[in-house]
Amino acid sequence: SNYSRHCQLPVTFADFGMSPSTLQWCQTKGKVIFPSFNDELIAPKEKISSENRALWERWYGKDMWLWRKNCFKKPFAFALSPYDETLWLDLDCEVMKPLEPIFDQIQTFDFAIADPMQDQQYNSGVVVFKKTTPILPKWIELCIHHNDQFCGDDYALTALLNNEKIPFQILPIEWNWVTKLGINLFINVFHFSTALGKNFIKIHRGI
Protein backbone atom coordinates (compact mmCIF):
# COMPACT_ATOMS: atom_id res chain seq x y z
CA SER A 1 0.00 0.00 0.00
CA ASN A 2 2.90 2.39 0.71
CA TYR A 3 4.27 1.79 -2.78
CA SER A 4 1.03 2.60 -4.57
CA ARG A 5 0.45 5.60 -2.32
CA HIS A 6 3.82 7.14 -3.15
CA CYS A 7 4.61 5.86 -6.63
CA GLN A 8 2.95 5.07 -9.96
CA LEU A 9 5.92 3.31 -11.59
CA PRO A 10 5.28 -0.19 -13.01
CA VAL A 11 6.32 -3.10 -10.82
CA THR A 12 8.09 -6.36 -11.67
CA PHE A 13 8.65 -9.08 -9.05
CA ALA A 14 11.49 -11.61 -9.09
CA ASP A 15 10.48 -15.14 -8.10
CA PHE A 16 13.26 -16.70 -6.01
CA GLY A 17 10.94 -19.45 -4.75
CA MET A 18 7.50 -17.96 -4.08
CA SER A 19 4.60 -19.99 -2.80
CA PRO A 20 1.74 -20.42 -5.31
CA SER A 21 -0.44 -17.94 -3.40
CA THR A 22 2.32 -15.32 -3.28
CA LEU A 23 3.01 -15.77 -6.98
CA GLN A 24 -0.68 -15.34 -7.76
CA TRP A 25 -0.81 -12.15 -5.67
CA CYS A 26 2.26 -10.71 -7.42
CA GLN A 27 0.77 -11.44 -10.82
CA THR A 28 -2.23 -9.27 -9.92
CA LYS A 29 0.09 -6.34 -9.09
CA GLY A 30 2.61 -6.46 -11.94
CA LYS A 31 4.91 -8.68 -13.97
CA VAL A 32 6.88 -11.61 -12.56
CA ILE A 33 10.30 -12.72 -13.78
CA PHE A 34 11.91 -16.08 -13.08
CA PRO A 35 15.71 -15.85 -12.83
CA SER A 36 17.27 -18.98 -14.29
CA PHE A 37 20.17 -20.22 -12.23
CA ASN A 38 21.85 -23.59 -11.84
CA ASP A 39 22.27 -24.20 -8.10
CA GLU A 40 25.04 -26.67 -8.84
CA LEU A 41 27.25 -23.72 -9.80
CA ILE A 42 27.30 -22.59 -6.18
CA ALA A 43 30.22 -24.03 -4.24
CA PRO A 44 28.91 -26.29 -1.44
CA LYS A 45 29.98 -25.88 2.15
CA GLU A 46 32.65 -28.55 1.73
CA LYS A 47 34.35 -26.52 -1.02
CA ILE A 48 34.62 -23.35 1.09
CA SER A 49 37.83 -22.71 2.99
CA SER A 50 37.61 -23.55 6.69
CA GLU A 51 38.48 -19.95 7.50
CA ASN A 52 35.58 -18.56 5.46
CA ARG A 53 33.16 -21.22 6.75
CA ALA A 54 33.89 -20.26 10.34
CA LEU A 55 33.69 -16.54 9.59
CA TRP A 56 30.40 -16.71 7.69
CA GLU A 57 28.75 -18.95 10.30
CA ARG A 58 29.84 -16.55 13.03
CA TRP A 59 28.23 -13.68 11.12
CA TYR A 60 25.00 -15.36 10.03
CA GLY A 61 24.64 -18.63 11.91
CA LYS A 62 24.83 -22.16 10.57
CA ASP A 63 21.46 -21.82 8.84
CA MET A 64 23.10 -19.54 6.27
CA TRP A 65 23.84 -22.56 4.06
CA LEU A 66 20.08 -22.97 3.55
CA TRP A 67 19.63 -19.53 1.96
CA ARG A 68 23.08 -18.81 0.51
CA LYS A 69 22.28 -20.21 -2.95
CA ASN A 70 19.33 -17.85 -3.39
CA CYS A 71 21.54 -14.83 -2.70
CA PHE A 72 23.42 -15.28 -5.94
CA LYS A 73 20.22 -15.11 -8.02
CA LYS A 74 19.93 -11.34 -7.58
CA PRO A 75 22.21 -10.17 -10.44
CA PHE A 76 20.43 -12.61 -12.75
CA ALA A 77 17.15 -10.95 -11.80
CA PHE A 78 18.72 -7.56 -12.57
CA ALA A 79 19.63 -8.84 -16.03
CA LEU A 80 16.02 -9.87 -16.70
CA SER A 81 14.59 -6.44 -15.91
CA PRO A 82 12.23 -5.37 -18.73
CA TYR A 83 13.13 -1.71 -18.19
CA ASP A 84 15.95 0.45 -19.58
CA GLU A 85 16.29 1.99 -16.11
CA THR A 86 15.51 -0.11 -13.05
CA LEU A 87 15.13 0.47 -9.34
CA TRP A 88 15.65 -2.72 -7.35
CA LEU A 89 14.08 -2.87 -3.88
CA ASP A 90 14.53 -5.85 -1.58
CA LEU A 91 11.37 -7.35 -0.15
CA ASP A 92 12.19 -5.92 3.30
CA CYS A 93 12.16 -2.31 2.09
CA GLU A 94 9.36 0.13 2.94
CA VAL A 95 8.68 3.02 0.56
CA MET A 96 8.29 6.27 2.51
CA LYS A 97 8.30 8.89 -0.27
CA PRO A 98 7.95 9.07 -4.08
CA LEU A 99 10.59 7.00 -5.86
CA GLU A 100 10.84 8.80 -9.19
CA PRO A 101 13.63 11.19 -8.05
CA ILE A 102 16.05 8.30 -7.50
CA PHE A 103 16.48 7.97 -11.27
CA ASP A 104 18.28 11.32 -11.26
CA GLN A 105 21.13 9.42 -9.59
CA ILE A 106 22.00 7.55 -12.79
CA GLN A 107 22.17 10.49 -15.17
CA THR A 108 25.98 10.73 -14.84
CA PHE A 109 26.84 7.09 -14.14
CA ASP A 110 24.73 4.03 -14.91
CA PHE A 111 24.78 2.31 -11.52
CA ALA A 112 24.01 3.73 -8.07
CA ILE A 113 24.12 2.11 -4.63
CA ALA A 114 24.20 3.37 -1.03
CA ASP A 115 27.45 4.16 0.77
CA PRO A 116 28.65 1.16 2.83
CA MET A 117 29.50 3.46 5.76
CA GLN A 118 31.49 1.79 8.54
CA ASP A 119 30.69 -1.76 7.40
CA GLN A 120 32.74 -1.38 4.22
CA GLN A 121 30.10 -3.56 2.63
CA TYR A 122 27.82 -2.33 -0.15
CA ASN A 123 24.20 -3.28 0.40
CA SER A 124 22.27 -4.23 -2.74
CA GLY A 125 18.87 -3.88 -1.09
CA VAL A 126 18.34 -0.63 -3.00
CA VAL A 127 20.06 -0.24 -6.37
CA VAL A 128 19.18 1.89 -9.38
CA PHE A 129 20.84 1.05 -12.68
CA LYS A 130 20.69 1.21 -16.46
CA LYS A 131 20.34 -2.03 -18.37
CA THR A 132 23.59 -1.29 -20.23
CA THR A 133 25.78 -0.96 -17.12
CA PRO A 134 29.06 -2.92 -17.47
CA ILE A 135 28.88 -3.70 -13.75
CA LEU A 136 26.10 -6.25 -14.20
CA PRO A 137 27.87 -8.84 -16.42
CA LYS A 138 30.98 -8.61 -14.23
CA TRP A 139 28.88 -9.18 -11.11
CA ILE A 140 27.25 -12.21 -12.73
CA GLU A 141 30.68 -13.55 -13.68
CA LEU A 142 31.85 -13.36 -10.06
CA CYS A 143 28.68 -15.06 -8.80
CA ILE A 144 29.09 -17.94 -11.25
CA HIS A 145 32.81 -18.61 -11.24
CA HIS A 146 34.12 -17.25 -7.94
CA ASN A 147 31.25 -17.68 -5.49
CA ASP A 148 33.41 -19.87 -3.25
CA GLN A 149 35.08 -16.62 -2.16
CA PHE A 150 31.87 -14.83 -1.19
CA CYS A 151 29.19 -15.39 1.41
CA GLY A 152 26.57 -13.81 -0.86
CA ASP A 153 25.87 -11.42 -3.71
CA ASP A 154 26.62 -8.27 -1.69
CA TYR A 155 30.14 -9.48 -0.98
CA ALA A 156 30.77 -10.24 -4.64
CA LEU A 157 29.44 -6.83 -5.62
CA THR A 158 31.57 -5.09 -3.00
CA ALA A 159 34.71 -6.81 -4.29
CA LEU A 160 33.81 -5.76 -7.82
CA LEU A 161 33.16 -2.11 -6.95
CA ASN A 162 36.33 -1.91 -4.86
CA ASN A 163 38.63 -3.60 -7.36
CA GLU A 164 37.36 -2.61 -10.81
CA LYS A 165 37.79 0.89 -12.17
CA ILE A 166 34.16 1.25 -13.21
CA PRO A 167 32.60 4.55 -12.11
CA PHE A 168 29.32 4.44 -10.20
CA GLN A 169 27.19 6.75 -8.10
CA ILE A 170 26.82 6.69 -4.31
CA LEU A 171 23.19 7.07 -3.27
CA PRO A 172 22.34 9.45 -0.44
CA ILE A 173 21.70 7.47 2.72
CA GLU A 174 18.00 8.35 2.77
CA TRP A 175 17.52 5.97 -0.16
CA ASN A 176 18.65 2.94 1.88
CA TRP A 177 18.13 3.70 5.55
CA VAL A 178 18.97 0.47 7.39
CA THR A 179 17.58 -0.77 10.69
CA LYS A 180 20.68 -0.16 12.78
CA LEU A 181 20.41 3.59 12.10
CA GLY A 182 17.16 3.74 14.06
CA ILE A 183 13.63 4.80 13.17
CA ASN A 184 13.45 7.76 10.78
CA LEU A 185 10.18 8.99 9.29
CA PHE A 186 11.80 11.50 6.95
CA ILE A 187 13.73 9.21 4.61
CA ASN A 188 12.77 7.79 1.22
CA VAL A 189 13.25 4.05 1.72
CA PHE A 190 13.49 2.23 5.04
CA HIS A 191 15.38 -1.06 4.70
CA PHE A 192 14.56 -3.53 7.46
CA SER A 193 17.91 -5.29 7.19
CA THR A 194 19.25 -7.89 9.64
CA ALA A 195 17.22 -10.21 11.88
CA LEU A 196 16.22 -7.20 14.00
CA GLY A 197 14.57 -5.57 11.01
CA LYS A 198 12.81 -8.77 9.94
CA ASN A 199 11.36 -9.20 13.44
CA PHE A 200 10.15 -5.59 13.41
CA ILE A 201 8.26 -6.23 10.17
CA LYS A 202 6.62 -9.37 11.55
CA ILE A 203 5.41 -7.55 14.66
CA HIS A 204 4.57 -4.07 13.34
CA ARG A 205 4.10 -4.61 9.56
CA GLY A 206 6.38 -1.63 8.91
CA ILE A 207 6.69 1.86 10.33
Side-chain angles (χ1 to χ4, degrees):
S1 61
N2 263 23
Y3 183 91
S4 58
R5 182 164 64 248
H6 291 299
C7 183
Q8 298 303 314
L9 294 171
V11 178
T12 295
F13 301 91
D15 185 353
F16 289 174
M18 297 179 187
S19 67
S21 60
T22 300
L23 176 59
Q24 185 177 24
W25 182 89
C26 289
Q27 289 172 329
T28 68
K29 304 299 181 182
K31 299 178 180 179
V32 180
I33 56 175
F34 303 88
S36 177
F37 187 76
N38 184 355
D39 287 351
E40 293 181 1
L41 294 173
I42 302 301
K45 179 179 179 180
E46 296 73 24
K47 297 292 185 179
I48 307 298
S49 70
S50 57
E51 181 181 1
N52 278 344
R53 282 204 307 268
L55 185 63
W56 298 349
E57 289 180 357
R58 186 164 72 247
W59 287 346
Y60 298 109
K62 294 187 177 181
D63 287 346
M64 59 148 294
W65 303 104
L66 301 176
W67 50 255
R68 180 173 174 265
K69 288 183 178 181
N70 265 347
C71 288
F72 292 102
K73 292 181 179 179
K74 185 180 285 187
F76 294 87
F78 279 34
L80 289 178
S81 171
Y83 314 111
D84 291 332
E85 296 182 348
T86 298
L87 167 61
W88 173 275
L89 295 175
D90 272 2
L91 190 60
D92 55 357
C93 289
E94 182 173 353
V95 177
M96 307 288 287
K97 290 183 179 180
L99 296 173
E100 287 84 353
I102 198 173
F103 291 94
D104 293 338
Q105 300 291 326
I106 53 171
Q107 297 313 301
T108 300
F109 302 122
D110 54 19
F111 190 95
I113 191 169
D115 194 314
M117 302 181 295
Q118 69 270 24
D119 291 342
Q120 301 303 309
Q121 188 70 41
Y122 289 98
N123 182 296
S124 63
V126 180
V127 178
V128 59
F129 64 96
K130 293 183 179 179
K131 200 173 187 68
T132 55
T133 177
I135 289 174
L136 186 51
K138 290 180 177 291
W139 188 15
I140 289 173
E141 175 77 9
L142 281 179
C143 288
I144 291 176
H145 297 294
H146 302 284
N147 60 74
D148 61 308
Q149 301 174 28
F150 307 111
C151 181
D153 63 287
D154 280 353
Y155 293 86
L157 181 58
T158 296
L160 172 62
L161 296 180
N162 286 339
N163 297 329
E164 296 280 346
K165 298 184 181 300
I166 303 176
F168 63 95
Q169 181 72 34
I170 293 294
L171 289 174
I173 192 64
E174 59 264 27
W175 285 110
N176 191 354
W177 188 271
V178 294
T179 310
K180 68 179 180 181
L181 298 176
I183 299 298
N184 187 339
L185 302 179
F186 304 99
I187 42 83
N188 301 323
V189 176
F190 197 106
H191 187 184
F192 292 92
S193 57
T194 72
L196 177 64
K198 309 298 185 291
N199 289 334
F200 188 95
I201 292 176
K202 289 179 181 178
I203 296 171
H204 302 286
R205 301 292 181 180
I207 297 177

